[in-house]
Amino acid sequence: MPELLAPAGGPEQFNAALAAGADAIYCALGSDFNARRGAHNFNYETFGRACRDAHLVGCRVYVTVNVVIRTDEMPRALALVRKAWLLGADAFIIQDWGLLMEVRRRFPQMECHVSTQANVHDARGVAWCRDLGVGRVTLSRELSVDEIAMIAREGVELEGFGHGALCFCYSGVCMMSSLKGNRSANRGLCAQPCRLPYELLDGRGRVVSAEGRGRPLCPKDYCTVDDLARLNDAGLGSLKVEGRMKAPDYVHSVVSSYRLALDELAAGRTSTPSESDLIHDRLRRAFNRDFTNSYLDHRSDDDMMSYERSNNRGELVGSVVGSRDLGGGKVRRGGSNGGRARLRSKTFAEIDVLLDRPVGAGDLLELRPQDDSSQFLTAHAPSDALPGDTISCRATRVLPRGSAVRVIRSKRAMDDAARAATGELRPRRGVDVRVVSHLGQPFAVELVCCDGSASARAEGFVVEPARTRPVTREDLVEHVGRMGSSPFEPRSFEVELDEGCGMGFSAVHALRARAVEELTRQVEAPVRARAEGLATVPDLRDIELELGNLRGAPATQGAGAAEVCALVDDLDSAEAAVKAGATRLYATPEALRDMDGLVLPGGCVLVPWLDEVCRECDHERLDALVRPGAPCAVGNVSELALAARRGAMAEVRDCIPVHNTSAAVALERAGAAGIWLSPELTLEEGCALARAASVPTGRMVLGRTRAMTSEHCVLQVADRCIHDCPRCALRRRPHSLRATDGSLMPVRTDVHGRSRIYAATPLDATPELPELLAAGMTRFMADCTLLSPDEAASAVGRVAAALKAAQAGRPPLRRLANHDSGHLFEAID
């Protein structure tokens, strides 16, 4: 069966996950280097205690270090990893390729997992990770069951998304949060802009979003509880539940539901209708935006979207059949901390609800009118009730007949989770017990963990003949089996007992206690032994010296080697860019098909600009563009692996984040012949990486930054999908998303149905070319993918002019109006 992997944003959620039956728990130590920096997280004391509690019951603990790391942060990040290992962490979930390289070469005894933030989604990418020595790869959420089965043949343990909130964008390549502010998903502070309202506009500024579809980037939550057999057969090794920002009741409800379903699958049982109802009710009464499993069947349709709302839907349990205004009344407000309480007028109503699903006393209900969903109310169920019953709830006003009623918080689930969060319901580890009682020999108790991981034996008093009633097998099973508040419970007994043995049961209890203590020590022993021979963490200067030795001295990039680069997606723009002075032309795979007749001037190079995504279905159209000895810009590690194998000159695109020198070295060693720096880097950070690099570095200096890449087509919000992307008329027209602040983000959907969303404000970093050039950067790009041929010519001409001015020592150009400097002077959090 797949491992059941549970989230824990803090100690209470951790205890809830243990009580619910998690096989492993992922959490963060501290709040600096993980993708949920806003969670409560753990300090050294609480983390060490949590690891001990988990290990005693046979549960593993994984620490998330799943963000990009800045160069100056590397020693601190490594120190955190080292400390977490000594405290009991079993593995580390890592996004940053530089951090992964440093951990693997310094601490080879540590188990490392590649995070879903690393954007790995095919067998070739997984095999590349395997060769780095990782123990597990967490796959992109978008993959189908068939893709998972194909990837599983590589022999790498795979972790897959099982339940919880879905990102709209492919994880790890989302810039939306940082472009709309200084919070970045790559740094653990996603602001969730995908959950906000947007309108889809056409090229004339007309709203084309369908009625009731106000949140075009808001997916439903994932739910695979009915797909566990398929995922198990596909070879999935770990099923992940999302939710490190969720409350203990969510963690307990969801994990216990999947535990029950997995246990039934392991036993070869099919759930009865009542058991299935229990599982689904429990899931729906935990936080959810409704459920989807579309990706598992290679679908990304409207079924996966929660267009109308982004908050908790709960479970639909009935509807309003009547309501009565009870008039006004007085309620007390305030009065805490010695203040005077105030009486406040309030209107009351009694609302009758006809149920078609059961509710429990104290359940929190949402009552939402059909004609105006924004005017919803909440109330509590007054008592337990069954389908067909009518209950009466108190609320602040009357509601129209037919208003939908949902349970959004289960009182029973909250009560159970509250007990679990304290550790009261912590499970116990099964042990096989052997009791040896032979006359004239020491009485012995042996305990062996059922998984064979540890064992203990305690010997005590010498067994004598009975003076009164001899002990029986049943006596020994009863008294040795009383393990009380220990972390163990007996699962089987083997008793060797001579006839006529006598003993005092207090002595038996004492010996059992010694055996339990020894088994506890044996379970904890591997963690205690970790300090021996563990490498220390060097300072930043020593790390930089070691990196220099790994790759040799950095190459010197002279100013004369600088190139004007242009990214285009059609033939006309390509020709315009070349005429305007582009010496290095990058073209999307779709554009390259139309460029057979393109004539390039001497010295101008045409480079394929490969996608951010390379799934199994993308190989046929992308792999042919990776040619021996020729340049190509790769958007993921799968294409980097292919380029290295074929001897192509791979340039790493900025969607593979390089935020530290170690990452640059790791990718250079993997075959990168060039690096495009992330738009999330400041000018200072980019210049430092350019100076340290031994391959050419580049940066997009003019154009709109790609904010998101989605498998789901944004244009489906218009409710006019013909399910034939090559023939789609909407796809051929320009569209944009209008945010509540009035800003417009361009949207383009390719022929394969994938959407890309671009920044609302274009970037102009041409005034900073003198600093970038002085730092050794040699490639400066105008992104022309959203521009007309004339606009492309103007953009490329501006970059060429700025480069000439910088080379001649003339003052830089002024920044264009209605453009910004991105993060050049404002670091992301």
Side-chain angles (χ1 to χ4, degrees):
M1 291 296 102
E3 167 193 86
L4 179 55
L5 177 59
E12 290 185 343
Q13 293 90 332
F14 196 99
N15 287 334
L18 279 181
D23 296 312
I25 301 173
Y26 65 101
C27 57
L29 177 57
S31 296
D32 290 338
F33 302 120
N34 74 91
R36 293 293 183 270
R37 287 165 60 190
H40 181 65
N41 296 322
F42 288 81
N43 58 33
Y44 290 162
E45 180 183 354
T46 57
F47 181 74
R49 188 184 311 127
C51 288
R52 181 178 183 275
D53 290 342
H55 293 159
L56 286 173
V57 300
C59 180
R60 284 163 57 84
V61 180
Y62 308 144
V63 172
T64 55
V65 203
N66 52 344
V67 294
V68 295
I69 308 295
R70 297 186 176 115
T71 295
D72 62 351
E73 294 174 332
M74 189 60 72
R76 196 153 51 92
L78 289 171
L80 180 142
V81 167
R82 187 179 189 275
K83 183 64 175 180
W85 178 254
L86 291 174
L87 289 172
D90 295 293
F92 298 90
I93 304 172
I94 298 175
Q95 172 188 7
D96 190 287
W97 298 115
L99 179 62
L100 178 64
M101 180 187 76
E102 295 291 356
V103 173
R104 289 297 305 139
R105 73 189 186 91
R106 296 178 189 284
F107 311 122
Q109 63 271 63
M110 295 183 186
E111 182 178 330
C112 294
H113 299 172
V114 172
S115 168
T116 190
Q117 288 284 114
N119 198 31
V120 179
H121 26 54
D122 70 346
R124 191 166 58 211
V126 167
W128 186 82
C129 294
R130 176 195 61 209
D131 295 342
L132 296 179
V134 302
R136 175 186 294 179
V137 175
T138 308
L139 298 172
S140 292
R141 295 174 172 91
E142 290 80 358
L143 300 191
S144 68
V145 173
D146 289 342
E147 287 174 292
I148 294 170
M150 182 178 298
I151 296 170
R153 298 171 191 164
E154 294 298 326
V156 182
E157 188 173 60
L158 302 179
E159 179 183 311
F161 194 55
H163 191 94
L166 280 171
C167 291
F168 184 77
C169 179
Y170 274 91
S171 292
V173 299
C174 182
M175 304 285 177
M176 178 79 89
S177 190
S178 65
L179 288 172
K180 295 182 74 66
N182 291 332
R183 296 175 54 176
S184 172
N186 282 316
R187 292 281 292 173
L189 287 176
C190 177
Q192 294 194 320
C194 50
R195 303 297 180 187
L196 299 176
Y198 299 93
E199 292 177 310
L200 183 68
L201 307 184
D202 65 14
R204 297 181 182 180
R206 298 175 299 188
V207 176
V208 295
S209 301
E211 184 70 25
R213 297 187 169 202
R215 299 177 190 270
L217 310 182
C218 181
K220 296 176 182 176
D221 288 358
Y222 220 36
C223 180
T224 65
V225 74
D226 295 324
D227 303 286
L228 297 180
R230 290 202 292 161
L231 290 168
N232 183 52
D233 291 344
L236 191 69
S238 178
L239 187 83
K240 174 185 176 180
V241 173
E242 180 273 339
R244 283 200 293 127
M245 298 292 286
K246 298 292 202 311
D249 61 289
Y250 175 90
V251 174
H252 189 263
S253 293
V254 173
V255 175
S256 60
S257 297
Y258 277 83
R259 178 76 279 152
L260 178 59
L262 284 169
D263 288 348
E264 288 179 344
L265 180 62
R269 291 184 60 243
T270 300
S271 300
T272 65
S274 61
E275 290 169 335
S276 181
D277 280 350
L278 173 65
I279 290 172
H280 288 85
D281 282 351
R282 193 183 290 164
L283 292 175
R284 288 199 171 276
R285 295 180 187 204
F287 184 100
N288 73 87
R289 300 177 181 89
D290 203 359
F291 293 129
T292 182
N293 67 345
S294 288
Y295 284 144
L296 291 185
D297 296 314
H298 217 299
R299 294 182 293 111
S300 55
D301 48 20
D302 273 345
D303 178 66
M304 64 174 282
M305 300 303 294
S306 181
Y307 287 129
E308 65 276 20
R309 59 189 294 185
S310 61
N311 57 352
N312 183 17
R313 290 176 182 240
E315 181 181 32
L316 184 65
V317 295
S319 62
V320 172
V321 293
S323 57
R324 295 168 297 285
D325 188 346
L326 301 180
K330 298 290 187 179
V331 295
R332 289 187 177 273
R333 287 290 184 269
S336 60
N337 298 322
R340 173 177 285 183
R342 294 176 297 167
L343 291 177
R344 180 180 171 188
S345 296
K346 192 170 185 179
T347 301
F348 294 99
E350 189 171 64
I351 300 177
D352 297 331
V353 176
L354 176 62
L355 298 173
D356 48 37
R357 300 292 299 167
V359 299
D363 285 355
L364 182 62
L365 307 179
E366 178 198 84
L367 302 89
R368 189 176 287 261
Q370 304 282 24
D371 56 347
D372 187 357
S373 60
S374 66
Q375 299 301 308
F376 67 91
L377 299 175
T378 57
H380 288 93
S383 60
D384 293 347
L386 298 173
D389 290 347
T390 298
I391 60 173
S392 296
C393 308
R394 287 292 184 96
T396 56
R397 66 174 186 272
V398 298
L399 284 174
R401 187 182 182 88
S403 297
V405 179
R406 298 172 179 271
V407 171
I408 57 175
R409 294 293 290 273
S410 164
K411 179 66 164 54
R412 179 176 297 175
M414 293 180 66
D415 290 345
D416 289 346
R419 292 177 59 205
T422 66
E424 179 183 346
L425 302 181
R426 189 171 299 144
R428 295 198 289 169
R429 190 172 192 163
V431 293
D432 296 319
V433 182
R434 182 168 178 259
V435 181
V436 180
S437 180
H438 295 306
L439 290 169
Q441 297 182 21
F443 184 82
V445 174
E446 295 180 4
L447 304 177
V448 181
C449 292
C450 291
D451 59 7
S453 59
S455 62
R457 177 184 173 95
E459 293 184 354
F461 59 89
V462 174
V463 180
E464 298 179 351
R467 296 177 183 176
T468 55
R469 185 180 74 86
V471 298
T472 65
R473 180 186 187 280
E474 290 71 23
D475 292 331
L476 294 179
V477 168
E478 177 188 353
H479 288 276
V480 175
R482 293 179 185 174
M483 295 187 181
S485 61
S486 79
F488 308 111
E489 64 178 2
R491 297 287 173 84
S492 69
F493 283 91
E494 178 186 346
V495 179
E496 295 182 17
L497 175 64
D498 288 349
E499 290 186 11
C501 290
M503 63 193 70
F505 292 128
S506 61
V508 173
H509 297 166
L511 197 64
R512 179 207 61 221
R514 282 175 47 197
V516 167
E517 289 175 4
E518 179 58 26
L519 184 59
T520 300
R521 283 193 290 270
Q522 292 300 320
V523 170
E524 296 174 341
V527 172
R528 291 198 303 271
R530 288 179 176 182
E532 185 176 350
L534 186 63
T536 58
V537 175
D539 61 23
L540 182 59
R541 183 175 180 276
D542 288 339
I543 290 176
E544 295 289 342
L545 288 173
E546 293 173 14
L547 293 174
N549 292 331
L550 281 177
R551 66 178 178 186
T556 301
Q557 300 296 328
E563 298 176 272
V564 176
C565 306
L567 173 60
V568 298
D569 65 352
D570 63 72
L571 177 60
D572 292 340
S573 293
E575 292 174 338
V578 171
K579 288 179 182 178
T583 56
R584 200 170 185 87
L585 186 67
Y586 294 82
T588 61
E590 287 69 30
L592 285 168
R593 288 200 299 266
D594 301 326
M595 291 188 179
D596 289 341
L598 179 65
V599 178
L600 297 176
C604 186
V605 179
L606 180 62
V607 184
W609 186 261
L610 303 183
D611 293 352
E612 307 87 74
V613 178
C614 183
R615 293 166 62 173
E616 301 296 336
C617 58
D618 297 307
H619 286 192
E620 184 176 354
R621 67 184 180 88
L622 296 179
D623 288 3
L625 302 176
V626 180
R627 302 185 181 97
C632 61
V634 300
N636 50 75
V637 295
S638 172
E639 293 163 343
L640 178 60
L642 178 64
R645 192 168 72 209
R646 291 185 176 178
M649 300 171 63
E651 301 171 26
V652 171
R653 283 185 51 194
D654 57 16
C655 52
I656 303 178
V658 177
H659 284 238
N660 57 76
T661 310
S662 299
V665 171
L667 294 171
E668 289 169 21
R669 297 179 76 193
I675 296 173
W676 288 94
L677 296 178
S678 168
E680 293 190 329
L681 293 170
T682 64
L683 178 62
E684 181 181 358
E685 291 167 339
C687 287
L689 286 168
R691 282 191 292 269
S694 62
V695 298
T697 57
R699 190 158 189 166
M700 193 263 277
V701 294
L702 194 62
R704 291 185 189 261
T705 303
R706 181 198 55 80
M708 280 187 170
T709 299
S710 168
E711 192 65 25
H712 176 79
C713 172
V714 179
L715 303 182
Q716 290 185 66
V717 74
D719 198 19
R720 290 155 57 184
C721 183
I722 64 171
H723 305 287
D724 187 350
C725 295
R727 294 180 55 247
C728 176
L730 275 180
R731 187 184 62 80
R732 297 190 186 95
R733 302 172 195 151
H735 290 85
S736 58
L737 289 174
R738 181 166 63 192
T740 53
D741 63 3
S743 60
L744 298 177
M745 295 179 292
V747 175
R748 297 293 183 272
T749 295
D750 64 23
V751 71
H752 312 287
R754 290 186 186 132
S755 286
R756 289 171 178 82
I757 303 170
Y758 294 85
T761 304
L763 170 76
D764 180 12
T766 55
E768 283 67 53
L769 253 65
E771 292 94 328
L772 297 173
L773 190 65
M777 196 172 295
T778 58
R779 291 171 181 165
F780 307 98
M781 177 179 285
D783 189 335
C784 307
T785 52
L786 299 177
L787 304 181
S788 68
D790 288 343
E791 291 170 330
S794 177
V796 173
R798 179 175 175 81
V799 174
L803 180 57
K804 287 181 181 179
Q807 290 171 326
R810 297 195 301 270
L813 303 178
R814 294 175 62 87
R815 204 172 320 279
L816 287 172
N818 302 317
H819 288 58
D820 66 21
S821 58
H823 288 285
L824 289 173
F825 305 105
E826 289 186 274
I828 59 172
D829 291 333

